[in-house]
Amino acid sequence: MAVKTPPGFTPISDRIFLRNEDPDSAETPEKSPAEQPTAIIIYGWGDGTAKNVAKYVDGYHKLFPAARILMVISSTFGVSYASLEARTSAMMPVIDTLFPTPGDGSERVILQAMSNTGGIYAAATLNAYQQRHGTDKALPHHLCVSDSTPGSVVFANEVGRWSRAMALGSARYFPWPFAVTEKIWWTFLYAMHFLERAIGREHAGIYSVNAFLNHAMATPRAVRLYIYSKADDLIWWEDVEAQAATAKSRGYTTALERFDDSPHVGHMRMHRDRYWGAIERCWKASLALEESPKL
């Protein structure tokens, strides 16, 4: 189902929207364009509405008014069955809008993935870039913000939380109790799990985690910021820290911002100043890293 275009955006596909540019806000007394990202891509959480995801667009625009900002609206159901080819095709408009030609080193990009569904589409974008420009090229970015992701990708451990997340996004469409919707999605996910095993297809979550650990796809020049919470009941904080430790062991520069009381993808809503402060701090760190000797 296509998403209605929110005010202030231009659609570039049925689920990808470009914030309308404001030529009067490209430079502020605090930041020159050279200190800002050239582009920001925000991958919303599964079934997050355009209205809610746009709040993050507004936050980024306040920090970096010169940047072009793309917003990707994610479907939990869609990502649960789509093949890598389908996910990659869905993200190709991102590449054609922001990277019509291979990067020349002038790009300063922030990726923000929200929840595992956002991370899956972010990984599909890395693949789309290589499909368009060659497998010897990685999508240029300076900072990757992971909000409430990545979690564990062990199916048996996670299927209960995944089915609950899908039920949260869809329960309003069904007349029966929430528990029934949750059980339906649990059954659906198990069916997809066995189907993928039968046809030898890699699970989207596993692919996305591996893509962001692959230097050929995700540059180690980019700082990784993990924003997560001990109160998140869908993505356990221990799993996020384990994923961050793995990334660090693979040569990525990591930063962790852990909250104690905010729910899944609710950290910005409860701790606005600290949330945006962490992002701005890591952006500055990424610029400093860019000035260091090349890896």
Side-chain angles (χ1 to χ4, degrees):
M1 182 182 298
V3 177
K4 183 179 179 181
T5 302
F9 290 83
T10 297
I12 62 172
S13 81
D14 61 343
R15 286 185 170 270
I16 304 174
F17 303 91
L18 175 66
R19 184 190 184 280
N20 295 336
E21 297 177 34
D22 180 359
D24 297 328
S25 65
E27 185 165 352
T28 67
E30 294 81 15
K31 300 186 185 73
S32 70
E35 298 174 297
Q36 301 183 51
T38 55
I40 301 167
I41 312 170
I42 303 171
Y43 301 87
W45 60 97
D47 305 315
T49 65
K51 178 181 178 181
N52 286 330
V53 180
K55 295 175 183 177
Y56 292 82
V57 176
D58 293 341
Y60 270 111
H61 179 66
K62 185 177 180 180
L63 273 184
F64 307 116
R68 300 178 76 193
I69 306 178
L70 277 183
M71 175 176 70
V72 179
I73 302 303
S74 304
S75 165
T76 306
F77 175 66
V79 83
S80 66
Y81 69 84
S83 66
L84 173 60
E85 292 74 17
R87 301 193 305 271
T88 300
S89 177
M91 292 301 101
M92 201 61 79
V94 173
I95 306 306
D96 293 337
T97 300
L98 297 181
F99 310 102
T101 59
D104 61 7
S106 64
E107 303 88 352
R108 300 182 302 278
V109 179
I110 296 177
L111 305 179
Q112 169 140 347
M114 306 192 69
S115 193
N116 283 353
T117 304
I120 287 170
Y121 281 114
T125 306
L126 300 182
N127 191 54
Y129 187 90
Q130 292 196 325
Q131 291 289 314
R132 181 67 80 219
H133 298 306
T135 55
D136 60 329
K137 297 177 177 65
L139 187 148
H141 60 287
H142 282 58
L143 173 62
C144 180
V145 180
S146 297
D147 182 325
S148 307
T149 188
S152 168
V153 291
V154 178
F155 180 82
N157 295 344
E158 299 302 312
V159 63
R161 287 194 286 274
W162 292 345
S163 60
R164 182 170 182 271
M166 295 178 76
L168 287 169
S170 62
R172 64 185 181 275
Y173 299 116
F174 304 115
W176 48 73
F178 179 86
V180 175
T181 304
E182 190 173 7
K183 189 64 175 179
I184 290 171
W185 287 126
W186 185 91
T187 303
F188 169 78
L189 289 172
Y190 255 105
M192 286 302 304
H193 174 66
F194 288 124
L195 175 61
E196 287 184 326
R197 291 184 63 181
I199 65 177
R201 191 171 83 179
E202 186 175 39
H203 184 272
I206 295 174
Y207 175 86
S208 67
V209 167
N210 290 336
F212 274 100
L213 295 174
N214 182 349
H215 288 199
M217 297 184 73
T219 172
R221 299 289 301 173
V223 173
R224 300 279 180 90
L225 170 60
Y226 298 85
I227 303 177
Y228 59 107
S229 173
K230 283 189 170 183
D232 190 333
D233 62 347
L234 295 179
I235 301 292
W236 286 358
W237 65 272
E238 297 96 333
D239 292 331
V240 175
E241 292 190 352
Q243 296 282 9
T246 299
K248 185 175 182 179
S249 73
R250 301 288 181 87
Y252 291 93
T253 300
T254 61
L256 280 66
E257 194 73 21
R258 189 177 74 193
F259 297 92
D260 294 323
D261 57 352
S262 47
H264 189 66
V265 296
H267 323 305
M268 189 273 285
R269 185 175 70 250
M270 292 186 64
H271 303 283
R272 183 179 301 271
D273 291 344
R274 182 178 164 192
Y275 187 95
W276 293 114
I279 289 174
E280 185 169 26
R281 182 175 68 251
C282 286
W283 172 250
K284 292 177 179 178
S286 74
L287 294 181
L289 184 63
E290 182 66 18
E291 295 174 359
S292 67
K294 299 294 183 181
L295 295 175

